[in-house]
Amino acid sequence: HYYVCLGAAGGKEWKVNMETKALYIHIPFCDHICSYCDFAKVYYREEFVLKYLERLKEELNALPHHIMRTIYIGGGTPSALSLKQLDILLSMVDPFVGDDTLEYTIEVNPESATLDKLECMHTHGVNRISAGVQTFNNDLLKKIERYHTSDIAKEVVRNAKAIGFKHISIDLMYGLPGQTLEDVKEDLHIALSLPVNHLSYYSLILEEHTRLYDSFEPLDEETEGKWSDYIVETLSHAGFHRYEVSNYALGNHESEHNKVYWHYDNYYGVGIGATGKIDNELISHSRSLTDYLQGKNTIYIEKETIEDTMFNHLMMSLRLKEGLDLDEFKRRYHCSVEDVYKEALTKNLGNHSLIIENNHLKTNDTLDLLNSILLDFLPE
């Protein structure tokens, strides 16, 4: 299936040579560890933070110093940093921010996103806040060991709006322990009453080593489907379009940085647990804070085969409602999707799971069935 691409792209040493205009920075520190969290994180300690920021500066200084189109500071909990530490971090990022920066995001937890920290972020050019709300139900927040309240979450969103953030996003979850559909309806009601223009709405899925795992019973498939349909329908009526499996936006408030991942474009990643992608190289950092602080080499590079890269590009793009840009696929790999995935395409276009529209291959209103569709495209 791949001989056309392999021949044109130079076999195992093929390269695309795309520009890299996206930057992800990982801040692993948290005031507390949530019972469902699987991200690279450690408890906040001031002496660790200061040393970590020194190492981050070394990594950032090693990057090409050009203006990034998108920047995303995630965690962990970036807002767990003190005001002074936050200012130090954002000052280090300043050289990458300019007129061509379309989106500059920072994740916050409501309990640590104080007014002075939000103002500091805005002063440094951050234009998008992503707040980890999860639910507005105080009893459920306690069950998943979140330390904010519904009122605190609402206040953070309103403060962000008052300060002047262009994009305000919140994360919500359904399928939480003991949660009912009525709880989900109330969460949506509250969210839609706030000045929010982007929502990430996830079904809770737990990894085995998380604390909540042993006592957790996930929703059955039928219930999850009903709840998901209700969420999609309610947000759609409120003007939010579902542009990705778990993401909804008003107007032009889609997450431009996350679309870099879904388009399988290039991006830099710095900090423990961070990943980056430069053409056919996947660059990952160890999760070891000790090694990172000691200046040890914590970076691992994996060269993707062209088969894996094409599949990952297809898989990530089909998460988007817009789908896979067929012209861009051909430009990168010197062959068409039809050349590579003839049988899978014939099957899924034939049963109308997939359609081609505006030269994009996309799901036919079947985003929720994506996993079963992708099985047909897996490399042999």
Side-chain angles (χ1 to χ4, degrees):
H1 289 306
Y2 306 105
Y3 68 93
V4 176
C5 308
L6 287 167
K12 292 180 181 178
E13 296 303 316
W14 72 280
K15 267 208 163 216
V16 178
N17 293 317
M18 295 188 294
E19 66 175 3
T20 306
K21 290 290 188 73
L23 170 63
Y24 173 79
I25 301 167
H26 191 76
I27 304 298
F29 302 102
C30 295
D31 290 320
H32 52 270
I33 306 298
C34 300
S35 57
Y36 56 86
C37 182
D38 185 43
F39 294 117
K41 74 279 181 185
V42 292
Y43 283 109
Y44 174 94
R45 282 176 58 180
E46 184 174 8
E47 64 271 27
F48 286 172
V49 174
L50 294 174
K51 182 65 177 173
Y52 188 83
L53 291 176
E54 290 176 14
R55 288 284 288 115
L56 267 186
K57 188 171 185 179
E58 293 173 17
E59 275 208 273
L60 288 169
N61 284 341
L63 296 179
H65 271 50
H66 58 242
I67 302 304
M68 296 293 169
R69 185 174 179 272
T70 67
I71 300 169
Y72 195 108
I73 303 177
T77 311
S79 58
L81 302 187
S82 70
L83 179 61
K84 182 177 180 181
Q85 292 162 351
L86 184 64
D87 187 58
I88 292 170
L89 169 64
L90 298 178
S91 296
M92 286 158 37
V93 184
D94 282 345
F96 300 97
V97 184
D99 291 341
D100 292 335
T101 302
L102 177 64
E103 182 184 274
Y104 184 0
T105 303
I106 190 164
E107 291 180 350
V108 302
N109 275 358
E111 70 273 17
S112 57
T114 55
L115 186 60
D116 53 359
K117 290 181 188 177
L118 291 174
E119 288 173 340
C120 176
M121 296 169 190
H122 192 257
T123 298
H124 280 277
V126 176
N127 62 10
R128 185 175 184 271
I129 292 292
S130 179
V133 174
Q134 316 316 347
T135 177
F136 291 99
N137 184 303
N138 288 331
D139 292 333
L140 290 174
L141 286 169
K142 290 176 184 176
K143 283 186 180 180
I144 59 173
E145 299 179 23
R146 293 306 299 251
Y147 283 68
H148 67 270
T149 64
S150 176
D151 286 343
I152 291 173
K154 295 173 192 174
E155 182 182 15
V156 167
V157 170
R158 290 172 180 142
N159 283 343
K161 175 66 174 178
I163 288 169
F165 285 96
K166 182 179 179 182
H167 311 286
I168 301 173
S169 177
I170 63 172
D171 287 358
L172 291 175
M173 285 184 176
Y174 66 97
L176 297 172
Q179 190 179 37
T180 66
L181 180 56
E182 289 306 310
D183 295 327
V184 171
K185 291 179 178 180
E186 181 64 13
D187 278 348
L188 283 166
H189 174 74
I190 294 172
L192 293 173
S193 73
L194 295 169
V196 167
N197 45 39
H198 185 279
L199 270 163
S200 297
Y201 218 137
Y202 303 102
S203 171
L204 179 60
I205 299 173
L206 293 176
E207 300 297 331
E208 286 191 34
H209 51 272
T210 55
R211 291 202 306 280
L212 196 57
Y213 182 81
D214 289 336
S215 60
F216 174 68
E217 287 194 21
L219 295 176
D220 63 78
E221 194 171 321
E222 182 180 354
T223 302
E224 180 170 345
K226 287 180 179 178
W227 289 21
S228 176
D229 289 345
Y230 179 83
I231 290 166
V232 173
E233 185 178 335
T234 302
L235 289 174
S236 176
H237 285 162
F240 283 78
H241 62 279
R242 186 190 194 187
Y243 70 99
E244 192 270 344
V245 173
S246 302
N247 285 273
Y248 307 79
L250 278 177
N252 63 349
H253 295 283
E254 297 176 2
S255 171
E256 295 299 329
H257 183 85
N258 286 336
K259 280 161 67 175
V260 169
Y261 306 145
W262 296 319
H263 289 147
Y264 217 52
D265 292 336
N266 284 357
Y267 55 96
Y268 299 111
V270 298
I272 68 165
T275 61
K277 175 191 168 291
I278 307 296
D279 297 330
N280 63 322
E281 293 184 346
L282 300 181
I283 304 155
S284 60
H285 286 65
S286 157
R287 290 186 171 210
S288 171
L289 179 64
T290 303
D291 287 350
Y292 189 75
L293 296 185
Q294 290 176 353
K296 294 180 181 178
N297 181 15
T298 61
I299 295 176
Y300 307 94
I301 297 176
E302 174 193 351
K303 288 198 174 186
E304 283 190 310
T305 65
I306 192 168
E307 294 94 335
D308 286 340
T309 303
M310 289 188 294
F311 175 75
N312 288 335
H313 186 182
L314 172 95
M315 173 179 67
M316 298 300 283
S317 293
L318 286 180
R319 290 183 62 90
L320 291 163
K321 189 170 181 63
E322 71 181 46
L324 173 69
D325 186 328
L326 297 178
D327 287 337
E328 176 64 12
F329 187 95
K330 193 166 187 176
R331 187 190 71 78
R332 289 190 195 181
Y333 312 116
H334 308 284
C335 59
S336 68
V337 168
E338 291 85 355
D339 290 330
V340 183
Y341 300 111
K342 185 176 181 180
E343 291 180 15
L345 266 184
T346 300
K347 173 183 174 180
N348 285 280
L349 291 173
N351 64 20
H352 306 293
S353 297
L354 296 176
I355 58 173
I356 294 176
E357 191 174 271
N358 299 322
N359 216 34
H360 281 66
L361 178 69
K362 60 175 75 174
T363 58
N364 187 18
D365 291 325
T366 51
L367 280 174
D368 294 318
L369 302 177
L370 181 57
N371 287 343
S372 60
I373 293 170
L374 287 170
L375 289 174
D376 295 324
F377 290 85
L378 278 171
E380 296 176 1

